[in-house]
Amino acid sequence: MHRYILRRLFLLIPVMFGVSLVVFTIMFFTPGDPAKLMLGERAPEAEVAALRAQMGLDDPFPVQFGRFIFNAVRGDLGRSLVTRRPVFQELYARFPATLQLAAAGVLVAVVMGIPIGILSATRQYSAFDAASMGIALVGVSMPNFWQGMMMILLFSVSLGVFPSSGYGTLRHLIMPALTIGTSTAAIITRMTRSSMLEVVRQDYIRTARAKGLSERVVINRHALKNALIPIVTVIGLQFGYLLGGAVLTESIFSWPGVGRLMVDAIRQKDYPVVQGGVLLLALTFSVVNLGVDILYAYIDPRIKAQYK
Amino acid sequence: MAERLLEIDNLRVEYHTDDGVVTAVEDLQLHVEKGQTVGLVGETGAGKTTTALSIMRLVPAPPGRIVSGSVHFHGEDLLHKRLDEIKKIRGNKISMIFQDPMTSLNPVLTIGFQIEEAVVLHQGLDARAARARAGEMLRLVGIPPEREGDYPHEFSGGMRQRVGIAMALSCNPELLIADEPTTALDVTIQAQVLELMKRLRQQFSTSMLLITHDLGVVAEVCDQVAIMYAGTIVEYADVNTLFTNPRHPYTRGLFGSIPSLDEEVTRLNPIKGLMPDPTALPSGCKFHPRCPMAGEICKTRVPQTTNLGQGHSVHCMIYEGLVPGYEE
């Protein structure tokens, strides 16, 4: 198991290298001269050329890419063209907010999604099942930005319960977390339901019932653990995705996270920040995936046996 | 006469499917006396498993539904008990061994835990005593108790079925229902598992309802045999009588289809035709379309049970004197 984790961590190196290559290549061939961007449209040609030389922008692609990797390995992702601050610091300052929002959103989703999914499955075709599946469909279909705006209208403008923007306290967190949480909850509910429905038809559930166990024990002890693999997969994917920054939700609630930083960076052609952000996204995604794979082993001993 | 442990009367179980109503069990009569092993024999789809699940009240509903009848266990009708009363009987007084050991154990729980669970529930043992009991049961079925922390996937099919047996016997049940316990196993392992069940059944003085389609298994293990066809018992007798003097044309057909070791046989001698479509069962006697002895009356009249003495009963118009019988 430990060897498996070490091997997976080691595999992160080629993954990150590959992502770097792709991102750097795209940025390299994107039109627009960073030196010109920094100095402004009307800067004299000589000054721009001097800055280009200084920044090494005239070097051939492999040299530039090599330099980028060499610096990135040491934690230096370059400087923002706009703020002139190191990209690493920019991301580092924003990441806690994103992590907080992602964790809160997933927590809301898990707390709502799994119990509702289980109840729906155990009462298949009941009124409860129909209602929760209907709500889940609405939850999946409702765009986050629209839901966010509606919540602001209701809770901030009309009722004045929660602040419409900002970051720092629990009251700030509730609306964005709910916005993210409801759509994720809908996905988790549906996955839990279908996975449970699959599992309760299995022979070993009949065996458990034949032992005289109560329905609660049959479901919670025998069925749920078997149903968890696809549920955990979905939670992991959602969490990884949110860690890259819930772009729309962060924008609506002026949440100072990585997602908003990226949107601003793209708009301002602040390519070192974009590069750094994508790398961070790839890294968090890979780490979350690894976490999910490790979790699999604790859920299913058959998977653990394969991790030798 | 020995005490009747289990008595099933006029049991009728239906499945409501998209293709119509399937009557899986119809007017079924069956009893198990204390200390006996009764074999329930029939083809796939005859309703054997449904009968077993009905006793445990485990018929999946929907689509299944126990429509009518009674299942008396120690004189009490299980079909009219509350579910919480049934749960005290399941796994405790009546337990079940399932057909496919590859799928009937929970893959994410250790086998030790799966045995302990029933013991803790029904006998109120604490964790330590339950563990000791599970270890003892494993030893009895020939699995080293040290392996109680292992998961089902770490065992072979035969060993998993031993775990299933250990689990079923862990609370010392009065009735053990074994639903084709050896069908999914290799032939060599089948004999081992059967031998084990036979030995433990005697050791625990458990009565058993053994569901099978294998007459060899019946001869090996059973005291009484019930032959089931399309949801009803067509013949019931002790094993000796049934093997030496089968009466129902279906039973005769079953024996006739077993090739003899002494004769040169080039073609097997099967019962003609197929099991009827369960959504459209034949009228009258359900066996009449395949029956070599069938007369006109068999198409319309449902046969009654005829008692031939010494506990031998048959469900056929020949013995009611309505159709000419075999020349003896």
Side-chain angles (χ1 to χ4, degrees), chain A residues 202-215 217 221-223 225-226 299-303 305, chain B residues 53 56 58 87 90-91 94 96 98 100 103-109 113-114 117-118 121-122 151 153 167:
Chain A
Q202 299 296 317
D203 285 353
Y204 52 79
I205 296 301
R206 189 176 61 185
T207 309
R209 291 204 175 106
K211 271 189 230 177
L213 298 171
S214 71
E215 201 56 24
V217 174
R221 195 190 281 165
H222 284 261
K225 209 177 169 202
N226 279 288
I299 295 168
D300 194 332
R302 288 169 296 182
I303 295 178
Chain B
L53 292 177
M56 300 284 272
L58 281 172
K87 281 176 186 159
R90 281 183 194 160
I94 307 178
M96 197 159 170
F98 293 98
D100 188 352
T103 57
S104 54
L105 295 177
N106 194 323
V108 302
L109 300 173
F113 180 82
Q114 294 188 58
E117 203 176 29
L121 181 72
H122 295 300
Y151 292 92
H153 72 271
M167 207 190 303

Side-chain angles (χ1 to χ4, degrees), chain B residues 25-51:
Chain B
V25 174
E26 191 175 8
D27 290 332
L28 182 121
Q29 319 272 347
L30 184 67
H31 59 86
V32 178
E33 282 168 18
K34 212 170 162 64
Q36 273 189 341
T37 296
V38 175
L40 184 58
V41 183
E43 290 168 71
T44 304
K48 308 183 298 284
T49 299
T50 301
T51 306

Side-chain angles (χ1 to χ4, degrees), chain B residues 141 156 158-159 162 165 182 185-199:
Chain B
V141 298
S156 68
M159 286 178 99
R162 287 161 186 271
I165 293 169
T182 57
L185 304 177
D186 284 346
V187 181
T188 46
I189 306 298
Q190 279 184 11
Q192 281 180 24
V193 169
L194 269 184
E195 203 47 52
L196 175 74
M197 284 176 57
K198 227 168 119 176
R199 183 166 59 77

Side-chain angles (χ1 to χ4, degrees), chain B residues 13 73 90 94 100 108 123-124 143 229 236 266 279 298 309 315:
Chain B
V13 185
F73 179 68
R90 281 183 194 160
I94 307 178
D100 188 352
V108 302
Q123 316 219 313
I143 293 174
Y229 184 80
Y236 185 91
T266 47
T279 58
C298 298
H315 212 66

